Structure formats: C-alpha cells, structure tokens
C-alpha cells in the first residue's frame, strides 16, 4: 500500500530553490541543500521537478520574472529618461549590496556558470536579455529625442553600451560594495550618456 503523495506549493519550492541557487549557483548547490531549503524529500523533489537542471531552470525563470517586473516599473516610470536610467543603475547596485552575502545577480551568475553547458539556460537568459534591451532602448530613444542624451551614435550603440556598463556595475558592486565607489561609477555612466 503506497502513501498519499504529500501536497506542496510549487511556488514556494521554486522560490526556495531560487534562493539556494542564487547563493551558490547550480554546481555549488547540492540536492540535499535543495531538499533542506524546500522541505521536500529527494524523491518528491525529483518526481515533481524531474531533475536538478529542470528545477534550476524554473528558479531562473522566477528570478527573471521578478527582476523584469521591477526593471519595467523603473524604466516606465513617469520621469526623465536620464533619471530612469540612473534609477535602474541604483536599483541594481542596491540589489547586489543589500545583503551580507553580496550575492551577484542570478542572471549574471547563471550566464557565467552555465553558458555553453545548458542550452535551456542560454535560451532563458537570451529571452530575458532581449526584454531588458528593448526596455532600455526605448528609454534611450526617448532621451535622444528629448535631447537629454547624446545624439552622436545610434540608439542600438547607446543601448548596448549602457547594458555593458550596467552589468559591469553589478559585478563591481559585488567586488567593492562601497556606496561611495558605486555612486562614482554610476555618475560616470550617466555623464557618458
């Protein structure tokens, strides 16, 4: 006689797994740690999510969902283009430096750790990146039209330069979480727009 399957909240499990993977990455997070964080047994975890890789993909999708929601709120705010771009930079550094663990953006971490090893993770990250690039491009185009930003380059060039600065800033925030240091970097990025 087999027991009844234990009910679980998949959203809770995905959130708990997201936090575990965010702290230690895919390779650094053991199945036992996932069981401990989610409250599920190994068999139940694999029965419900197929594999550690599949759970990681679900956790990464959840991370992107939360991130793009907040980034969209910032970039579509009723403010000048320059202020919205600066707010995005400040939000990113605050995310990366607000906890003692100083954990890096999970999207960046996943790209560094899993790119070329997991085509599904690559696809998830590209989809997220394309959304963010589109949002930033729209803000930069508005800023150029309103003469808030330089007009001596294409929108695409300005957008990709900003994105490179944004992700570089996020990594710097983990390496040197000094608010003064990061504020100087943000000012420099904004001045070059």
């Amino acid at each position: 006689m087999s027991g009844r399957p234990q009910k679980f909240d998949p959203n809770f499990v995905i959130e708990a797994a997201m936090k575990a993977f965010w702290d230690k990455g895919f390779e650094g997070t053991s199945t036992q740690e996932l069981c401990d964080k989610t409250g599920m047994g190994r068999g139940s975890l694999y029965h419900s999510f197929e594999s550690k890789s599949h759970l990681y993909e679900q956790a990464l999708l959840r991370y992107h969902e939360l991130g793009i929601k907040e980034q969209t709120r910032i970039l579509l705010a009723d403010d000048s283009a320059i202020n919205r771009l600066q707010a995005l930079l400040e939000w990113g550094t605050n995310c990366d430096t607000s906890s003692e663990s100083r954990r890096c953006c999970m999207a960046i971490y996943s790209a560094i750790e899993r790119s070329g090893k997991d085509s599904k993770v690559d696809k998830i990250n590209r989809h997220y990146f394309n959304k963010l690039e589109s949002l930033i491009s729209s803000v930069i185009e508005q800023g150029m039209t309103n003469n808030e930003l330089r007009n001596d380059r294409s929108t695409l060039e300005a957008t990709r330069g900003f994105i490179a600065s944004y992700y570089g800033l996020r990594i710097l925030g983990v390496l040197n979480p000094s608010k003064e240091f990061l504020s100087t970097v943000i000012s420099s990025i904004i001045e070059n727009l």
Side-chain angles (χ1 to χ4, degrees), residues 99-116:
S99 71
E100 286 184 24
S101 65
R102 292 194 341 244
R103 58 187 178 191
C104 184
C105 164
M106 188 176 171
I108 294 172
Y109 199 177
S110 70
I112 293 168
E113 183 185 33
R114 304 298 300 154
S115 283

Side-chain angles (χ1 to χ4, degrees), residues 82-147:
I82 200 93
N83 286 347
R84 288 181 280 161
L85 294 170
Q86 182 168 342
L88 180 66
L89 295 170
E90 291 169 351
W91 172 81
T93 59
N94 288 336
C95 287
D96 298 332
T97 61
S98 63
S99 71
E100 286 184 24
S101 65
R102 292 194 341 244
R103 58 187 178 191
C104 184
C105 164
M106 188 176 171
I108 294 172
Y109 199 177
S110 70
I112 293 168
E113 183 185 33
R114 304 298 300 154
S115 283
K117 297 176 186 172
D118 188 328
S119 62
K120 289 182 182 177
V121 169
D122 283 341
K123 184 177 178 181
I124 290 166
N125 282 332
R126 273 194 307 276
H127 181 72
Y128 167 77
F129 177 83
N130 289 340
K131 281 184 178 180
L132 183 59
E133 182 181 46
S134 178
L135 284 164
I136 291 170
S137 179
S138 177
V139 174
I140 286 177
E141 187 170 14
Q142 290 169 11
M144 288 178 164
T145 301
N146 296 336
N147 293 316

Side-chain angles (χ1 to χ4, degrees), residues 25-82:
F26 178 80
E27 297 294 337
T29 305
S30 70
T31 302
Q32 186 57 53
E33 287 172 304
L34 290 170
C35 291
D36 293 345
K37 297 284 185 183
T38 63
M40 295 183 74
R42 188 178 300 255
S44 297
L45 193 65
Y46 282 121
H47 177 74
S48 301
F49 292 97
E50 299 172 21
S51 66
K52 179 180 169 183
S53 294
H54 189 257
L55 180 56
Y56 182 77
E57 292 158 13
Q58 296 302 307
L60 184 59
L61 283 166
R62 180 68 178 142
Y63 179 85
H64 286 326
E65 177 188 327
L66 295 170
I68 206 71
K69 181 179 178 181
E70 188 61 20
Q71 291 165 325
T72 300
R73 184 193 65 74
I74 292 165
L75 292 169
L76 297 182
D78 186 19
D79 205 344
S80 66
I82 200 93

